[in-house]
């Protein structure tokens, strides 16, 4: 190409041709290889069946739910193993009247603390639900207490207003 330009009368070569061969642009630095996250493990058939059972129990009539709760308690009394504890915990999670949040947490605590239990993770989640429910119950109890106090104050203010109106009416009658 330089020869063609020289023959065409260009006395001076363009700068890009004077420098010689241009090196290709440098490749961007290689990104660190990040391995993909491990694949999700297949859910345990027992836990999956238990969660399906809980889903069915959640939509049952109240009398049937009470029976399932009683069965779960009886099962725990007969066998205090991890599975019986988790079953009662799941029933309590979908049926809040089954056992109190405090009872639910105490039932699940041994399983949640045992890292070797296949139900360890589920028990931890259920124990967290119990703690959240307990906190919600405390907030609700405080709100009810505050509402009761406000009603009492309103009643007292209403009585004071009634008494002031009576005094005002008597004063107006005395002026007439």
């Amino acid at each position: 190409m330089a020869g063609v330009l020289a023959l065409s009368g260009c006395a001076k070569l363009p700068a890009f041709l004077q420098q010689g061969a241009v090196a290709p642009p440098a490749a961007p630095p290689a990104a660190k290889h990040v391995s993909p996250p491990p694949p999700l493990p297949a859910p345990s058939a027992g836990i999956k069946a238990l969660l399906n059972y809980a889903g069915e129990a959640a939509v049952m009539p109240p009398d049937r739910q009470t029976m399932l709760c009683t069965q779960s308690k009886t099962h725990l009394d007969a066998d205090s193993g991890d599975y019986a504890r988790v079953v009662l915990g799941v029933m309590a999670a979908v049926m809040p009247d089954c056992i109190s949040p405090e009872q639910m947490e105490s039932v699940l605590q041994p399983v949640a603390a045992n890292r070797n239990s296949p139900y360890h993770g589920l028990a931890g989640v259920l124990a967290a639900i119990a703690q959240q429910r307990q906190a919600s119950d405390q907030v609700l109890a405080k709100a009810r207490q505050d509402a009761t106090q406000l009603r009492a104050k309103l009643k007292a203010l209403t009585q004071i207003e009634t008494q002031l109106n009576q005094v005002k009416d008597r004063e107006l009658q005395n002026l007439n």
Side-chain angles (χ1 to χ4, degrees):
M1 181 154 180
V4 171
L5 288 175
L7 289 176
S8 68
C10 292
K12 188 165 182 180
L13 293 175
F16 72 90
L17 290 176
Q18 289 177 359
Q19 295 174 356
V22 177
K32 288 183 180 180
H33 176 68
V34 178
S35 59
L40 290 174
S44 166
I47 292 175
K48 185 176 180 180
L50 179 59
L51 293 176
N52 286 335
Y53 178 67
E56 293 171 8
V59 296
M60 289 183 176
D63 59 332
R64 180 84 169 114
Q65 286 181 344
T66 301
M67 185 185 75
L68 290 176
C69 180
T70 303
Q71 287 175 347
S72 298
K73 289 177 186 176
T74 304
H75 185 237
L76 180 62
D77 289 341
D79 174 19
S80 62
D82 290 354
Y83 183 73
R85 290 176 177 279
V86 170
V87 168
L88 182 56
V90 167
M91 291 298 105
V94 298
M95 299 178 278
D97 294 337
C98 184
I99 57 176
S100 72
E102 296 85 6
Q103 292 171 320
M104 183 178 170
E105 194 172 357
S106 68
V107 163
L108 293 166
Q109 189 57 38
V111 184
N114 181 6
R115 293 201 172 272
N116 295 325
S117 173
Y119 306 107
H120 165 75
L122 181 58
V125 169
L126 293 170
I129 290 171
Q131 290 171 352
Q132 188 65 35
R133 187 173 289 158
Q134 189 175 9
S136 296
D137 288 350
Q138 289 172 351
V139 168
L140 183 60
K142 174 78 170 103
R144 286 182 178 149
Q145 181 183 13
D146 291 349
T148 300
Q149 290 174 350
L150 288 172
R151 274 191 226 101
K153 288 178 182 180
L154 178 62
K155 184 176 179 180
L157 287 172
T158 304
Q159 289 173 346
I160 291 171
E161 181 184 28
T162 302
Q163 291 171 353
L164 286 173
N165 285 335
Q166 290 172 353
V167 168
K168 180 180 92 174
D169 289 344
R170 274 184 274 164
E171 290 297 320
L172 286 175
Q173 286 176 359
N174 288 341
L175 290 174
N176 291 336

